């Protein structure tokens, strides 16, 4: 049974949550690095010391280590920002450190972080990032953080509790992340999203899970080996009517499962039914993943010809 949602976080709770987030990001670092492949505006470039996933994992681990033992928000906020800045390996990590520095301006005066305070922290962090961004990268880290802040503020204005504020913020950020893949031809061609921004949303997902008591994001599965002897690959396309309307978690689970099974061609979940497509050597497993979260409509499975 899940623990009851926390109404607010103390300083020690926030520090503990960052420790949990460091472990989760470490589990996902390699997948995020692969997702990026070195050509996004907010991620690793050729010759950089680490991909965005490894960078963010190191940055959050450094923040958590520096803040360990802090019992008040003044100490915790300063340590999180300092530890992140010292551990950052590249642009994504430095951006996250800047976000934490901006959020810390609000955090250091907190007695506890409730829904309203969480929204203000996101807003302050987003403003700190926007100061160093040209605003020209839809779906990039700064844009996703700004969208998450807007979502969190809207939820808080409606009286939402802490967990719901974080969930709404993550959902709004996800919408911007997917918009980036539509606006950026390079991302659209590869069927991927900005990896640094995806890593930030993973951090938000962890914080939401800690607050709500819901399961943490699962570690990514190893991709299945390519079929030997030039085995066939199939293009699977369908619309998905979710079992539960508005099932953000189910959509994320399906997207993660299909990413592990092959190469995503399309994953649109801004409105229902979701429209999805993947190229995979395991079409049966792809369909089974759909059935776990919804009902496939207009299902098409065809031999893929590169």
């Amino acid at each position: 049974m899940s623990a009851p949602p926390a109404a607010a976080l103390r300083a020690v709770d926030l520090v503990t949550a960052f420790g949990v987030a460091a472990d989760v990001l470490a589990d996902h670092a390699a997948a995020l690095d692969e997702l990026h492949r070195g050509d996004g505006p907010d991620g690793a470039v050729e010759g950089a010391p680490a991909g965005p996933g490894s960078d963010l994992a190191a940055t959050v681990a450094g923040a958590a280590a520096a803040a360990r033992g802090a019992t008040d928000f003044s100490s915790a906020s300063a340590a999180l920002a300092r530890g992140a800045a010292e551990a950052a390996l590249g642009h994504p990590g430095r951006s996250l450190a800047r976000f934490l520095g901006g959020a810390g301006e609000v955090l250091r005066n907190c007695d506890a972080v409730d829904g309203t305070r969480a929204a203000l922290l996101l807003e302050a962090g987003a403003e700190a990032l926007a100061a160093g961004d040209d605003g020209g990268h839809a779906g990039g880290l700064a844009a996703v953080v700004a969208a998450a802040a807007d979502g969190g503020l809207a939820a808080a204005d409606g009286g939402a509790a802490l967990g719901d504020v974080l969930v709404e913020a993550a959902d709004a950020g996800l919408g911007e992340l997917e918009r980036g893949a539509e606006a950026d031809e390079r991302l659209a061609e590869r069927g991927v999203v900005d990896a640094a921004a995806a890593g930030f949303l993973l951090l938000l997902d962890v914080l939401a899970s800690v607050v709500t008591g819901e399961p943490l994001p699962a570690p990514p599965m190893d991709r299945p080996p390519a079929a030997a002897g030039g085995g066939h690959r199939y293009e699977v396309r369908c619309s998905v009517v979710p079992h539960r309307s508005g099932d953000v978690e189910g959509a994320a689970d399906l997207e993660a499962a299909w990413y592990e099974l092959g190469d995503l061609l399309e994953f649109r979940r801004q409105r229902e039914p979701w429209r999805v497509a993947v190229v995979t050597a395991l079409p049966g497993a792809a369909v089974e993943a759909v059935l776990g979260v919804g009902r496939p409509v207009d299902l098409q499975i065809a031999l893929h010809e590169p």
Side-chain angles (χ1 to χ4, degrees):
M1 179 180 295
S2 299
L9 292 177
R10 303 167 298 164
V12 292
D13 300 325
L14 183 64
V15 171
T16 298
F18 264 81
V20 174
D23 292 338
V24 172
L25 279 165
D27 287 340
H28 288 77
L32 289 169
D33 290 345
E34 180 184 352
L35 176 67
H36 185 73
R37 298 191 186 118
D39 67 350
D42 287 313
V45 296
E46 185 177 354
S54 298
D55 188 2
L56 291 177
T59 301
V60 174
R68 190 173 296 123
T71 58
D72 63 87
F73 281 113
S74 179
S75 300
S77 61
L80 287 170
R82 182 184 71 252
E86 292 174 350
L89 302 173
H91 184 66
R94 291 192 294 271
S95 295
L96 181 59
R98 195 156 60 247
F99 169 85
L100 291 174
E105 293 298 315
V106 176
L107 185 63
R108 66 185 180 184
N109 297 317
C110 288
D111 295 321
V113 176
D114 57 9
T116 299
R117 188 69 67 175
L120 294 175
L121 293 173
L122 288 170
E123 180 185 38
E127 289 175 351
L129 267 189
D133 184 74
D134 63 7
H137 301 301
L141 182 57
V144 166
V145 172
D150 289 343
L153 285 168
D157 287 345
L162 174 59
D164 291 330
V165 166
L166 293 173
V167 169
E168 290 297 324
D171 195 24
L174 179 61
E176 173 62 26
L177 182 72
E178 294 174 339
R179 191 175 76 84
E182 298 171 0
D184 189 326
E185 186 174 316
R186 294 170 305 171
L187 297 177
E189 287 176 352
R190 290 158 49 210
V192 298
V193 294
D194 184 273
F200 174 79
L201 291 182
L202 184 59
L203 173 61
L204 270 189
D205 285 343
V206 172
L207 295 178
S209 294
V210 169
V211 169
T212 62
E214 294 296 320
L216 293 168
M221 301 178 292
D222 292 333
R223 279 183 180 241
H232 296 306
R233 301 180 80 213
Y234 300 85
E235 186 171 309
V236 181
R237 290 183 174 273
C238 68
S239 296
V240 181
V241 179
H243 294 317
R244 292 186 294 113
S245 182
D247 187 5
V248 175
E249 184 177 344
D253 289 345
L254 178 58
E255 186 171 13
W258 272 27
Y259 171 75
E260 300 298 341
L261 287 170
D263 298 318
L264 283 176
L265 299 179
E266 181 181 20
F267 206 102
R268 300 176 184 271
R269 49 173 162 164
Q270 294 96 329
R271 60 180 63 87
E272 296 173 8
W274 311 324
R275 186 66 189 168
V276 298
V278 67
V279 173
T280 177
L282 301 169
V287 174
E288 183 178 351
V290 170
L291 294 172
V293 297
R295 176 171 56 88
V297 177
D298 191 23
L299 177 63
Q300 303 171 30
I301 303 176
L303 186 65
H304 179 65
E305 298 180 0

